[in-house]
Amino acid sequence: MLKRKIDQYLIRWKDNPDRLPLIIKGARQIGKTFSIEHFSKNYKNFIEINFIAEPQFKGIFAKGYSPDQIIQEITLIRPDWVFIPGETLIFFDEIQACPDCTTCLKFFKIDGRYDVICSGSLLGIGYNEITSVSVGYKTDYEMHSLDFEEFLWAKGYQQSQIDGILTHMKDLRPFSEVEYSVWLENFREYMTLGGMPKVVQMFVSQKNYSGTLQEQRQILNAYSEDITQYATGLDKAKIKNIYNHISVFLAKENKRYQITKVAPGARNREYTGTVDWLKEAGIINVCHCLESPELPLKGNYKPNDYKIYYRDTGLLIASLDEEAQDDLRQNKNFNTYKGAVYENIIADIFVKQGYELFYYKNEKSTLEMDFFVRDKQTLIPVEVKSGDNATASLRNLIEKDTYKDIQYGIKLCNKNIGFNGKFFTFPYFCAFMLKSFLKDFDLTQYMEHINR
């Protein structure tokens, strides 16, 4: 089985005496159900209800939400099931098919005899249908497909080896030729495959790419079917239109979402809510354009000016032509699209670290930056280069007095670790350690450290 970060999270959740019922959200086929079933081995008794596979259980809340009433209804359907206080985990799966299920969480918490976990796809969308979301009586956890660290675990790397990447970054110590080559090759594999568990498992067990593209395309089709089934209250054709044009937006030089690229004569007001639906479904990441490159990030962006990325870069590759996977594996030139692929995977890596996505482009297009993050005190521009081109925008943001919140920058590219006094250069494969690198980071102290 694949080792996942949620495994340790669930153990910590169980060890917390004040734990609340847990809702695990995320896109389909990212491993939610498998992880919870694996975790259930920590209990003597496990009750699992899937509201899609077993629709007869949707009626168990008809008479109210008290645990005793719900358990009575469940055992009428399954008289062989036993509920042992203090030793039972109840798992409600696919709750998007029964959104009122979450209303019972408050009552299970007050009762205190049973642990409860809910899960399902499209939960962000389903919340608006729920009678009460048990505010204050639940914990939400958002799960993603495998991040790069989890991918390295799947490949068999030890944690000490992976942590060595962060040590190189902190010490500003370039990787050896062998280290660089090995980590970059793993990163290219991850960029091609993405992090969908079944795709990764196929690759690791077979030690080749056979069948992975077909599996990725099945997932893309499943997402399209979800739009047809669950996009209530919105024009499903318009959501599909956006979904089918994500790779088209990324092909443009500015990679910006533009409604005119979706359909001739299309207007933004006709597509209200469509992008939000795809984001809440866990299918896309949205990167907003800043009004100006300054803090705070969340209070300083244009709500209607953004880029759209696939949540999983492997699915972006699968959405392209048949040969795209081979081209990427062989590091062939993607022309303009190569930059889009690298931007997409860095966006995905950032989101999986907990970052929200922001970029900047001024009105004259003379200054632009791919992403922004921050440390404790400063705003940090992050440039993603498919090659090792000039970094005029990065230098301008750092050097000009106009941008007072910016002290230094970061460039991610196919180049070894370095620091020129203005910006850090890190290889792509270091991006997943960026938040750890910036934790408690102080530029003055760092300069003193590396100059010793």
Side-chain angles (χ1 to χ4, degrees):
M1 62 167 283
L2 298 173
K3 178 183 174 184
R4 303 298 304 273
K5 291 183 178 178
I6 194 175
D7 299 339
Q8 285 303 309
Y9 175 86
L10 290 170
I11 294 295
R12 293 194 300 271
W13 174 76
K14 186 177 188 300
D15 290 341
N16 180 2
D18 297 321
R19 61 188 172 275
L20 300 173
L22 182 61
I23 297 180
I24 297 176
K25 299 187 285 186
R28 66 157 64 242
Q29 300 191 45
I30 58 171
K32 300 184 298 296
T33 299
F34 184 88
S35 294
I36 296 164
E37 289 174 344
H38 175 69
F39 166 69
S40 71
K41 296 175 183 177
N42 293 281
Y43 292 81
K44 290 184 179 179
N45 195 40
F46 180 49
I47 302 295
E48 180 175 5
I49 293 173
N50 184 309
F51 289 112
I52 289 181
E54 304 162 301
Q56 65 269 31
F57 283 103
K58 291 181 183 180
I60 62 176
F61 309 107
K63 295 181 179 179
Y65 297 101
S66 77
D68 286 334
Q69 182 64 57
I70 292 168
I71 289 169
Q72 181 179 333
E73 297 295 315
I74 291 172
T75 52
L76 283 173
I77 299 170
R78 289 296 303 267
D80 55 319
W81 283 358
V82 177
F83 291 78
I84 306 171
E87 298 179 355
T88 298
L89 172 64
I90 303 172
F91 174 31
F92 295 116
D93 199 8
E94 300 290 6
I95 65 167
Q96 75 276 4
C98 185
D100 268 351
C101 172
T102 55
T103 305
C104 75
L105 300 185
K106 174 180 178 179
F107 303 96
F108 271 104
K109 170 56 183 173
I110 293 171
D111 180 86
R113 288 176 293 165
Y114 310 101
D115 286 349
V116 180
I117 296 178
C118 297
S119 185
S121 307
L122 305 160
L123 291 191
I125 295 156
Y127 265 29
N128 59 8
E129 302 172 18
I130 295 171
T131 304
S132 167
V133 291
S134 297
V135 175
Y137 293 92
K138 66 177 178 64
T139 298
D140 290 320
Y141 180 92
E142 185 166 9
M143 190 175 176
H144 300 272
S145 62
L146 277 78
D147 65 18
F148 186 48
E149 187 169 23
E150 291 172 315
F151 178 77
L152 292 175
W153 290 343
K155 290 288 298 291
Y157 287 97
Q158 300 300 309
Q159 192 62 51
S160 59
Q161 295 173 299
I162 299 170
D163 289 342
I165 295 175
L166 180 59
T167 302
H168 273 274
M169 295 170 71
K170 288 183 173 181
D171 293 343
L172 205 62
R173 178 165 47 91
F175 296 94
S176 71
E177 187 175 336
V178 171
E179 288 173 320
Y180 192 97
S181 174
V182 167
W183 293 131
L184 184 60
E185 178 59 26
N186 277 287
F187 185 79
R188 283 184 176 147
E189 290 174 352
Y190 178 67
M191 188 159 54
T192 304
L193 294 162
M196 289 297 179
K198 189 171 181 180
V199 175
V200 174
Q201 189 68 66
M202 289 174 67
F203 175 76
V204 170
S205 60
Q206 298 172 171
K207 295 183 171 56
N208 61 55
Y209 291 88
S210 177
T212 57
L213 179 59
Q214 289 76 13
E215 181 61 32
Q216 288 169 322
R217 289 187 167 171
Q218 284 185 15
I219 295 171
L220 288 172
N221 289 336
Y223 285 170
S224 184
E225 290 169 4
D226 278 345
I227 295 171
T228 301
Q229 185 171 356
Y230 293 109
T232 56
L234 288 170
D235 189 322
K236 298 175 182 181
K238 286 184 169 64
I239 297 178
K240 279 194 174 183
N241 221 355
I242 299 290
Y243 175 66
N244 293 331
H245 279 80
I246 298 172
S247 54
V248 176
F249 304 139
L250 292 175
K252 305 304 175 185
E253 189 174 350
N254 64 11
K255 303 176 185 65
R256 220 176 123 250
Y257 165 77
Q258 293 173 288
I259 196 66
T260 55
K261 305 299 180 186
V262 175
R267 297 180 181 181
N268 278 315
R269 66 173 180 268
E270 298 169 351
Y271 282 76
T272 300
T274 54
V275 172
D276 290 335
W277 194 97
L278 291 167
K279 181 182 179 182
E280 293 298 328
I283 295 172
I284 63 171
N285 288 318
V286 176
C287 182
H288 285 283
C289 184
L290 294 174
E291 289 277 2
S292 60
E294 60 185 29
L295 296 172
L297 289 169
K298 290 185 181 179
N300 177 37
Y301 68 86
K302 305 173 185 178
N304 297 317
D305 192 348
Y306 48 83
K307 299 179 185 179
I308 297 175
Y309 299 104
Y310 272 96
R311 277 263 176 123
D312 187 276
T313 303
L315 299 184
L316 167 62
I317 301 302
S319 74
L320 304 176
D321 50 73
E322 191 80 31
E323 294 75 24
Q325 193 188 72
D326 289 335
D327 290 344
L328 187 60
R329 283 159 45 195
Q330 296 168 27
N331 198 30
K332 290 183 180 179
N333 189 2
F334 268 40
N335 299 316
T336 303
Y337 219 90
K338 194 170 186 180
V341 171
Y342 281 102
E343 271 192 43
N344 198 102
I345 193 166
I346 296 303
D348 181 45
I349 286 171
F350 280 4
V351 168
K352 286 173 177 174
Q353 290 177 81
Y355 285 119
E356 293 191 42
L357 300 178
F358 301 96
Y359 77 101
Y360 178 71
K361 187 171 187 176
N362 65 8
E363 291 183 4
K364 296 180 180 179
S365 299
T366 56
L367 183 67
E368 55 185 305
M369 187 50 50
D370 299 317
F371 300 105
F372 287 86
V373 295
R374 62 168 303 172
D375 59 22
K376 288 187 299 182
Q377 299 173 323
T378 62
L379 180 64
I380 306 163
V382 180
E383 188 168 45
V384 182
K385 307 300 286 187
S386 58
D388 187 24
N389 304 327
T391 55
S393 289
L394 186 58
R395 288 183 182 277
N396 285 336
L397 285 167
I398 297 165
E399 294 173 357
K400 287 189 175 181
D401 294 336
T402 312
Y403 312 110
K404 299 184 184 303
D405 291 329
I406 298 173
Q407 295 180 10
Y408 65 96
I410 292 171
K411 184 172 79 167
L412 299 171
C413 59
N414 186 8
K415 193 174 181 180
N416 218 323
I417 288 177
F419 181 59
N420 62 5
K422 298 182 185 299
F423 59 84
F424 292 92
T425 298
F426 292 128
Y428 306 118
F429 57 78
C430 290
F432 78 109
M433 286 290 190
L434 191 60
K435 197 160 196 176
S436 297
F437 173 75
L438 293 174
K439 184 181 179 182
D440 301 322
F441 183 86
D442 184 285
L443 182 62
T444 303
Q445 292 179 3
Y446 188 84
M447 294 292 288
E448 291 173 354
H449 169 70
I450 64 174
N451 288 328
R452 285 172 191 162

